[in-house]
Amino acid sequence: MTEIILAHLSDPHISHDKLCLPPAALLNKRALSHLSWRRKRRFLHVGAMLDRVVADLRAAAPDVVALTGDLTNLGLPEECRQAADWLQRNMPARTIVIPGNHDMLVSERWSDTLGLWAPWMVPAPDDFPFVRRIGPLALIGVNSARPMPWFSAAGRIGRPQADRLAAILRDTGREGLCRIVLIHHPPVAGIVPRRKALLDRALFGDAIARAGAELVLHGHSHFSGLSSLPGPLAPVPVLGVASASMRSDRAARAAAWQRIRITTTERDFHIEIRRRIFRPDIPMQELPPTLFTAYRIRPPI
């Protein structure tokens, strides 16, 4: 029997207020996001809340961290460099990152932006989905972030990536690994409105239905909750987490990270999820655990 502790957090939205932003960089869709940040969002995504989450996560010393996107607000090269520095300073050595929609608001040269996160992600956009094996775990990173039209925060994965995802899930399933898929946008209908949704979630859902997975982790909704997708043998849990920097008195919206303990036996995976939430002016609160078992039965493919 082996045990792995996985930490899940998302959407830190690291403040860019102290960065010198080139005015020309805002002459596009970023202008709306920057206006939203200045008028409202910088009072919701608070550095002090993020610091509390990070300190608590580091004290827990997880074996691996999964960060499901939106480290930045505008996806500027300056922000991506700042985020790389933040990852280096604050996250444990085994940290896996995928991009969010804010990290790819407009088309930019990969090497100047998300390519700076290669130590925690992949070197090139065509390398998605990617796999990181940590003991009995296969952490599979999917990219749903795409430059979208004005007023849209939606995402897509595309047919080629969905087909590669199904193949990876088949292969890692045959190895008997606990397959945990990371995606920024919720792959379940109804969690966010259409303008923020995964537009081709049917492609993602089909890959899960055909090949199976033990757990899906997402961010984007700024809401902590549990849903599911059909799998080949049983429903696959889909776990979302609120923004790691959100200042809120509501438990489901408050800054949080999730401590996921995976215990592996010869025939199954026991998964225990404990959400640790941080609300203004009160101590951290850990909610009662969610428990489920996934059997190590290779699906008929």
Side-chain angles (χ1 to χ4, degrees):
M1 185 169 65
T2 60
E3 182 178 288
I4 295 283
I5 303 298
L6 166 65
H8 175 216
L9 74 162
S10 196
D11 298 76
H13 288 287
I14 302 166
S15 173
H16 60 279
D17 284 344
K18 295 183 179 180
L19 298 179
C20 182
L21 304 183
L26 302 179
L27 299 178
N28 48 42
K29 182 184 174 183
R30 289 185 177 124
L32 289 179
S33 288
H34 185 58
L35 179 62
S36 174
W37 173 262
R38 296 300 301 170
R39 295 183 63 181
K40 178 181 179 182
R41 294 178 60 249
R42 65 191 177 112
F43 304 110
L44 300 176
H45 296 285
V46 178
M49 303 305 298
L50 180 59
D51 290 344
R52 290 177 64 191
V53 168
V54 167
D56 188 66
L57 185 153
R58 288 176 60 88
D63 297 295
V64 59
V65 175
L67 204 170
T68 49
D70 275 1
L71 283 76
T72 72
N73 295 293
L74 309 176
L76 287 162
E78 294 83 356
E79 287 182 286
C80 291
R81 284 194 292 271
Q82 175 181 253
D85 291 342
W86 182 87
L87 287 166
Q88 187 69 47
R89 290 194 317 271
N90 292 289
M91 290 293 103
R94 283 182 171 176
T95 295
I96 297 164
V97 174
I98 59 169
N101 59 294
H102 279 269
D103 304 321
M104 200 180 285
L105 275 182
V106 301
S107 295
E108 283 278 8
R109 191 161 62 180
W110 184 269
S111 60
D112 292 339
T113 54
L114 298 182
L116 301 172
W117 302 350
W120 304 276
M121 199 165 62
V122 286
D126 292 339
D127 293 334
F128 291 96
F130 65 93
V131 186
R132 295 289 184 271
R133 290 170 171 80
I134 310 292
L137 304 189
L139 296 164
I140 303 164
V142 175
N143 181 15
S144 62
R146 298 286 188 277
M148 286 285 170
W150 289 59
F151 307 108
S152 174
R156 295 185 187 274
I157 62 170
R159 171 68 68 179
Q161 190 177 187
D163 290 343
R164 292 194 297 270
L165 172 61
I168 289 170
L169 290 170
R170 285 195 297 266
D171 292 344
T172 50
R174 288 170 181 147
E175 293 177 47
L177 299 176
C178 181
R179 300 159 297 172
I180 300 178
V181 183
L182 317 179
I183 185 169
H184 181 66
H185 290 79
V188 177
I191 294 178
V192 293
R194 178 173 171 76
R195 75 175 191 87
K196 297 183 179 182
L198 183 64
L199 299 179
D200 55 359
R201 63 177 177 269
L203 290 176
F204 183 91
D206 182 63
I208 298 296
R210 285 188 286 134
E214 279 61 61
L215 183 63
V216 176
L217 304 179
H218 72 83
H220 188 54
S221 63
H222 297 180
F223 184 87
S224 296
L226 184 64
S227 53
S228 67
L229 285 171
L233 300 174
V236 174
V238 177
L239 184 66
V241 69
S243 162
S245 60
M246 180 62 74
R247 180 182 176 89
S248 176
D249 292 318
R250 297 172 56 191
R253 291 285 184 186
W257 70 278
Q258 304 191 106
R259 182 181 184 273
I260 305 171
R261 182 173 67 182
I262 301 105
T263 305
T264 307
T265 71
E266 289 186 357
R267 68 172 189 170
D268 53 32
F269 303 107
H270 298 284
I271 300 176
E272 175 192 271
I273 302 164
R274 292 181 180 269
R275 192 196 328 157
R276 297 170 70 83
I277 65 174
F278 299 79
R279 287 179 281 196
D281 306 319
I282 62 175
M284 183 277 298
Q285 179 185 9
E286 182 176 272
L287 301 187
T290 299
L291 306 169
F292 56 89
T293 297
Y295 291 97
R296 300 178 76 176
I297 301 174
R298 288 143 175 88
I301 300 173

